[in-house]
Amino acid sequence: MPAPGPALTVRPPVPADAPAMARVHVRCWQQTYRGLMPDHVLDDPGFVPARQRLWDQVLTAPEYRGHRTAVATADGQVVGVAMTGTPRDDDAAWTRELYVLYLDATHHGSGAGTDLLHAVLAPDEAAALWVADPNPRAQAFYRKHGFTPDGADTIDDDGVTEIRLTRTPT
């Protein structure tokens, strides 16, 4: 029988978590989007500091008070991040938008992704998210949680095709 992995915990972040959140955010992009977006974007030395500025703001600025944010930790180290907020579409039929859900690949299948999702989005909330296409693992994860493609797609600033998934609880 394999040895159990590190104990995983999901909790609200504190401002001191911002540097670790930035590192995890960038590492997850490198793990997930390598081959989908240019290497110069993923390997830019300014990428982690830029993400840290983002997380510093999210965790301290008044305009982010309505967002829900969570981190997953393993043995005290941040290994995942999630964040929801109000929909960006004025005519949205959903009440929340999942902006971020990243979990270090070493913890895929641990249940931490589900715990992160539930920490920022109630299972009965109508919601939407954008996911890279192709990204079969993430798309399967979201389908498991009731999200389905609604036909909308876009190409982001880094050239990644994204599809929108929505969930309307019954």
Side-chain angles (χ1 to χ4, degrees), residues 16-25 27 52 77-79 81:
D17 290 321
M21 293 169 75
R23 287 189 299 274
V24 166
H25 194 157
R27 184 170 56 247
Q52 182 171 340
Q77 300 298 310
V78 174
V79 297
V81 297

Side-chain angles (χ1 to χ4, degrees), residues 71-118:
V71 294
T73 63
D75 291 338
Q77 300 298 310
V78 174
V79 297
V81 297
M83 179 174 65
T84 62
T86 56
R88 289 177 277 190
D89 297 320
D90 291 334
D91 61 347
W94 46 88
T95 56
R96 301 295 291 176
E97 185 168 339
L98 181 65
Y99 299 135
V100 173
L101 198 160
Y102 293 112
L103 182 64
D104 187 271
T106 60
H107 297 283
H108 287 176
S110 68
T114 297
D115 291 346
L116 278 167
L117 180 64
H118 290 164

Side-chain angles (χ1 to χ4, degrees), residues 100-151:
V100 173
L101 198 160
Y102 293 112
L103 182 64
D104 187 271
T106 60
H107 297 283
H108 287 176
S110 68
T114 297
D115 291 346
L116 278 167
L117 180 64
H118 290 164
V120 298
L121 189 64
D124 62 347
E125 275 184 293
L129 62 94
W130 290 90
V131 63
D133 191 40
N135 188 345
R137 182 178 190 89
Q139 290 176 24
F141 172 83
Y142 293 124
R143 278 194 308 275
K144 178 179 160 185
H145 293 283
F147 290 87
T148 57
D150 72 354

